[in-house]
CSV table of all heavy atoms in Angstrom, one decimal:
chain,number,residue,atom,x,y,z
A,289,ARG,N,3.2,-33.5,-23.9
A,289,ARG,CA,2.7,-32.4,-23.1
A,289,ARG,C,3.7,-31.2,-23.1
A,289,ARG,O,4.9,-31.4,-22.7
A,289,ARG,CB,2.4,-32.9,-21.7
A,289,ARG,CG,2.0,-31.8,-20.7
A,289,ARG,CD,1.6,-32.3,-19.4
A,289,ARG,NE,1.4,-31.3,-18.4
A,289,ARG,CZ,0.3,-30.6,-18.3
A,289,ARG,NH1,-0.7,-30.9,-19.1
A,289,ARG,NH2,0.2,-29.6,-17.4
A,290,ILE,N,3.3,-30.0,-23.4
A,290,ILE,CA,4.1,-28.8,-23.4
A,290,ILE,C,4.1,-28.2,-22.0
A,290,ILE,O,3.0,-27.9,-21.5
A,290,ILE,CB,3.7,-27.8,-24.5
A,290,ILE,CG1,3.8,-28.5,-25.9
A,290,ILE,CG2,4.5,-26.6,-24.4
A,290,ILE,CD1,3.3,-27.6,-27.0
A,291,PRO,N,5.2,-28.0,-21.4
A,291,PRO,CA,5.2,-27.4,-20.0
A,291,PRO,C,4.7,-26.0,-20.0
A,291,PRO,O,5.1,-25.2,-20.9
A,291,PRO,CB,6.6,-27.6,-19.5
A,291,PRO,CG,7.4,-27.6,-20.8
A,291,PRO,CD,6.6,-28.3,-21.8
A,292,ALA,N,3.9,-25.6,-19.0
A,292,ALA,CA,3.4,-24.2,-18.9
A,292,ALA,C,2.9,-24.1,-17.5
A,292,ALA,O,2.4,-25.1,-16.9
A,292,ALA,CB,2.4,-23.8,-19.9
A,293,THR,N,2.9,-22.9,-16.9
A,293,THR,CA,2.4,-22.7,-15.6
A,293,THR,C,0.9,-22.6,-15.6
A,293,THR,O,0.3,-22.4,-16.7
A,293,THR,CB,3.0,-21.4,-15.0
A,293,THR,OG1,2.5,-20.3,-15.8
A,293,THR,CG2,4.5,-21.4,-15.0
A,294,PRO,N,0.2,-22.8,-14.5
A,294,PRO,CA,-1.3,-22.7,-14.4
A,294,PRO,C,-1.8,-21.3,-14.9
A,294,PRO,O,-2.8,-21.2,-15.6
A,294,PRO,CB,-1.6,-22.9,-13.0
A,294,PRO,CG,-0.5,-23.8,-12.4
A,294,PRO,CD,0.7,-23.3,-13.2
A,295,ALA,N,-1.0,-20.3,-14.6
A,295,ALA,CA,-1.5,-18.9,-15.0
A,295,ALA,C,-1.5,-18.8,-16.6
A,295,ALA,O,-2.4,-18.2,-17.2
A,295,ALA,CB,-0.6,-17.9,-14.4
A,296,VAL,N,-0.4,-19.4,-17.2
A,296,VAL,CA,-0.4,-19.4,-18.7
A,296,VAL,C,-1.5,-20.2,-19.3
A,296,VAL,O,-2.1,-19.8,-20.2
A,296,VAL,CB,1.0,-19.9,-19.1
A,296,VAL,CG1,1.0,-20.1,-20.6
A,296,VAL,CG2,2.1,-18.9,-18.7
A,297,ARG,N,-1.8,-21.4,-18.7
A,297,ARG,CA,-2.9,-22.2,-19.2
A,297,ARG,C,-4.2,-21.5,-19.0
A,297,ARG,O,-5.1,-21.7,-19.9
A,297,ARG,CB,-2.9,-23.6,-18.5
A,297,ARG,CG,-1.6,-24.4,-18.8
A,297,ARG,CD,-1.7,-25.8,-18.2
A,297,ARG,NE,-0.5,-26.5,-18.4
A,297,ARG,CZ,-0.2,-27.2,-19.5
A,297,ARG,NH1,-1.1,-27.2,-20.5
A,297,ARG,NH2,1.0,-27.8,-19.7
A,298,ARG,N,-4.4,-20.8,-18.0
A,298,ARG,CA,-5.6,-20.1,-17.8
A,298,ARG,C,-5.8,-19.0,-18.9
A,298,ARG,O,-6.8,-18.8,-19.4
A,298,ARG,CB,-5.7,-19.5,-16.4
A,298,ARG,CG,-7.0,-18.7,-16.1
A,298,ARG,CD,-7.0,-18.1,-14.7
A,298,ARG,NE,-8.2,-17.4,-14.5
A,298,ARG,CZ,-8.5,-16.8,-13.4
A,298,ARG,NH1,-7.6,-16.8,-12.4
A,298,ARG,NH2,-9.6,-16.1,-13.2
A,299,LEU,N,-4.6,-18.3,-19.2
A,299,LEU,CA,-4.7,-17.3,-20.2
A,299,LEU,C,-5.0,-17.9,-21.5
A,299,LEU,O,-5.8,-17.3,-22.4
A,299,LEU,CB,-3.3,-16.6,-20.3
A,299,LEU,CG,-3.2,-15.4,-21.2
A,299,LEU,CD1,-4.1,-14.3,-20.9
A,299,LEU,CD2,-1.7,-14.9,-21.3
A,300,LEU,N,-4.5,-19.1,-21.8
A,300,LEU,CA,-4.8,-19.8,-23.1
A,300,LEU,C,-6.3,-20.1,-23.1
A,300,LEU,O,-7.0,-20.0,-24.2
A,300,LEU,CB,-4.0,-21.1,-23.2
A,300,LEU,CG,-2.5,-20.9,-23.4
A,300,LEU,CD1,-1.8,-22.2,-23.2
A,300,LEU,CD2,-2.2,-20.3,-24.8
A,301,ARG,N,-6.9,-20.6,-22.0
A,301,ARG,CA,-8.3,-20.9,-22.0
A,301,ARG,C,-9.2,-19.7,-22.2
A,301,ARG,O,-10.2,-19.7,-22.8
A,301,ARG,CB,-8.7,-21.6,-20.7
A,301,ARG,CG,-8.1,-23.0,-20.5
A,301,ARG,CD,-8.8,-23.8,-19.4
A,301,ARG,NE,-8.7,-23.1,-18.1
A,301,ARG,CZ,-7.7,-23.2,-17.3
A,301,ARG,NH1,-6.7,-24.1,-17.6
A,301,ARG,NH2,-7.6,-22.6,-16.2
A,302,GLU,N,-8.8,-18.6,-21.6
A,302,GLU,CA,-9.6,-17.3,-21.7
A,302,GLU,C,-9.6,-16.9,-23.1
A,302,GLU,O,-10.7,-16.3,-23.6
A,302,GLU,CB,-9.0,-16.2,-20.8
A,302,GLU,CG,-9.1,-16.5,-19.3
A,302,GLU,CD,-8.4,-15.4,-18.5
A,302,GLU,OE1,-7.7,-14.6,-19.1
A,302,GLU,OE2,-8.6,-15.4,-17.3
A,303,HIS,N,-8.6,-17.1,-23.9
A,303,HIS,CA,-8.5,-16.6,-25.3
A,303,HIS,C,-8.8,-17.8,-26.3
A,303,HIS,O,-8.7,-17.6,-27.5
A,303,HIS,CB,-7.2,-16.0,-25.6
A,303,HIS,CG,-7.0,-14.7,-24.9
A,303,HIS,ND1,-7.5,-13.5,-25.3
A,303,HIS,CD2,-6.3,-14.4,-23.7
A,303,HIS,CE1,-7.1,-12.5,-24.5
A,303,HIS,NE2,-6.4,-13.1,-23.5
A,304,GLN,N,-9.1,-19.0,-25.7
A,304,GLN,CA,-9.5,-20.2,-26.5
A,304,GLN,C,-8.3,-20.5,-27.5
A,304,GLN,O,-8.5,-20.6,-28.7
A,304,GLN,CB,-10.8,-20.0,-27.3
A,304,GLN,CG,-12.0,-19.8,-26.3
A,304,GLN,CD,-13.3,-19.6,-27.1
A,304,GLN,OE1,-13.3,-19.4,-28.3
A,304,GLN,NE2,-14.4,-19.6,-26.3
A,305,LEU,N,-7.1,-20.6,-27.0
A,305,LEU,CA,-6.0,-20.9,-27.8
A,305,LEU,C,-5.5,-22.3,-27.5
A,305,LEU,O,-5.6,-22.8,-26.4
A,305,LEU,CB,-4.8,-19.9,-27.5
A,305,LEU,CG,-5.1,-18.4,-27.8
A,305,LEU,CD1,-4.0,-17.5,-27.4
A,305,LEU,CD2,-5.4,-18.2,-29.3
A,306,ASP,N,-4.8,-22.9,-28.5
A,306,ASP,CA,-4.2,-24.2,-28.4
A,306,ASP,C,-2.7,-24.0,-28.0
A,306,ASP,O,-2.0,-23.3,-28.8
A,306,ASP,CB,-4.4,-25.0,-29.6
A,306,ASP,CG,-3.7,-26.4,-29.5
A,306,ASP,OD1,-3.4,-26.8,-28.4
A,306,ASP,OD2,-3.6,-27.0,-30.6
A,307,ILE,N,-2.3,-24.6,-27.0
A,307,ILE,CA,-0.9,-24.4,-26.6
A,307,ILE,C,0.1,-25.0,-27.6
A,307,ILE,O,1.2,-24.5,-27.7
A,307,ILE,CB,-0.7,-25.1,-25.2
A,307,ILE,CG1,0.7,-24.7,-24.6
A,307,ILE,CG2,-0.8,-26.6,-25.3
A,307,ILE,CD1,0.9,-25.1,-23.2
A,308,HIS,N,-0.3,-25.9,-28.4
A,308,HIS,CA,0.5,-26.5,-29.4
A,308,HIS,C,0.8,-25.6,-30.6
A,308,HIS,O,1.7,-25.8,-31.4
A,308,HIS,CB,0.0,-27.9,-29.9
A,308,HIS,CG,0.0,-28.9,-28.9
A,308,HIS,ND1,-1.1,-29.0,-28.0
A,308,HIS,CD2,0.8,-29.9,-28.6
A,308,HIS,CE1,-0.8,-30.0,-27.2
A,308,HIS,NE2,0.3,-30.6,-27.5
A,309,ALA,N,-0.1,-24.6,-30.7
A,309,ALA,CA,0.1,-23.6,-31.8
A,309,ALA,C,1.0,-22.5,-31.5
A,309,ALA,O,1.3,-21.6,-32.3
A,309,ALA,CB,-1.3,-23.0,-32.2
Side-chain angles (χ1 to χ4, degrees):
R289 174 177 171 82
I290 298 178
T293 63
V296 172
R297 295 187 183 276
R298 180 179 182 183
L299 184 63
L300 291 169
R301 290 195 302 274
E302 290 176 353
H303 295 278
Q304 298 180 351
L305 298 177
D306 181 14
I307 191 173
H308 294 84

